[in-house]
Amino acid sequence: RQPRGLCKGMLSRARQCFFDKNAVFLLQNRTATTLSSHAGQRQPPLRQTTFRRPSQASKTLFSCHNRGPVLTAHLSNVVVAARSYCSVSRACWNCSAPTAGWFFCESCHVVQPPDLQATLFDVMDCAKKFDIDNSRLSTKYKDLQRLLHPDRFSQHGEVEQDYASAQSAWVNKAYWTLQKPLSRGLYMLQLEGETIEEGDKQSDPELLMEVMEANERLGDAETEEQVRSIAEENREKLTRLCKELSQAFDEGDVAKAKDILTRMQYYSNIEDKVKERLPPS
């Protein structure tokens, strides 16, 4: 365990190394350190990933065996297991104990810094799939915001207040990104290393004509009933595209997913215009 004096000395620099503070002492240790809740058991082999630069590893250190979390750190590089959906293993910045909690240390119960290697799906404790349970997502969001609200930590130390604010912001971002199909799909595309740039336009003349006609009909609509009719037609098209997108992601067809998301952007734009024409529900 790292001497307490060093940990206290590092706290003064917490704001400068806000997100990688929890791993710095591991890199300074100059000896391999293994933290495991199953240290006496034979562990299955790791699928290894090596960070090329220590600065990359200092942001967060994690790994997961099938039977328990294990973390191994070295001075020159950090070798970690391929990410498991179930947990994160790192050292608590406050008590140095190994903890597998995303948000709180399991030993001293203080707030931990966000794990920048975590996906937004990890943050909200849901599988990385396009089809998600929005009701469960909403419940999880409310529970986490209640636990991590900065006001709960107003009497705590400055470092923990910072981490609580960062975690709360991270949860906010995760919820609002995953809540809507388009932003969720774009995020999943990003996880696959792809993005849709401003210049990426659909060349399908049939689609472009359909979108243009829908915009013209919306512009000419004079009654709420006409607007709602356009909204319903547009919603049906988005629903169909969502089903196709879910299948594309399930099959690992990133190119198809990107094409569908580009189409969805056109219809989502129409949906936004429709909402502007209808009274608040």
Side-chain angles (χ1 to χ4, degrees), residues 43-54:
Q43 302 290 350
L46 288 171
R47 289 182 295 158
Q48 296 183 341
T49 301
T50 303
F51 289 102
R52 295 181 180 179
R53 300 187 301 276

Side-chain angles (χ1 to χ4, degrees), residues 99-120:
T99 179
W102 287 114
F103 305 104
F104 297 91
C105 173
E106 296 166 322
S107 297
C108 67
H109 309 296
V110 302
V111 181
Q112 298 301 294
D115 174 7
L116 297 189
Q117 299 291 341
T119 70
L120 301 185

Side-chain angles (χ1 to χ4, degrees), residues 155-214:
Q155 302 302 314
H156 293 221
E158 193 176 75
V159 174
E160 191 173 8
Q161 289 180 36
D162 283 343
Y163 289 156
S165 295
Q167 289 280 26
S168 181
W170 197 224
V171 169
N172 260 325
K173 177 182 179 181
Y175 175 69
W176 292 109
T177 299
L178 300 182
Q179 182 195 40
K180 296 184 177 181
L182 179 59
S183 55
R184 181 167 68 247
L186 291 172
Y187 176 67
M188 291 183 68
L189 191 68
Q190 181 183 334
L191 291 179
E192 298 297 332
E194 289 284 348
T195 57
I196 298 177
E197 304 297 337
E198 286 294 328
D200 292 341
K201 299 294 183 181
Q202 269 286 341
S203 57
D204 182 349
E206 184 177 343
L207 169 66
L208 298 177
M209 182 63 68
E210 186 178 301
V211 170
M212 184 178 69
E213 289 177 354

Side-chain angles (χ1 to χ4, degrees), residues 41-98:
Q41 300 180 13
R42 182 179 179 183
Q43 302 290 350
L46 288 171
R47 289 182 295 158
Q48 296 183 341
T49 301
T50 303
F51 289 102
R52 295 181 180 179
R53 300 187 301 276
S55 60
Q56 289 177 290
S58 69
K59 290 184 178 179
T60 186
L61 305 172
F62 63 89
S63 65
C64 190
H65 281 299
N66 293 333
R67 291 178 291 176
V70 168
L71 181 147
T72 304
H74 299 274
L75 175 65
S76 58
N77 57 38
V78 175
V79 180
V80 297
R83 170 167 292 283
S84 166
Y85 164 71
C86 62
S87 66
V88 62
S89 179
R90 51 182 172 172
C92 172
W93 65 270
N94 181 61
C95 69
S96 302

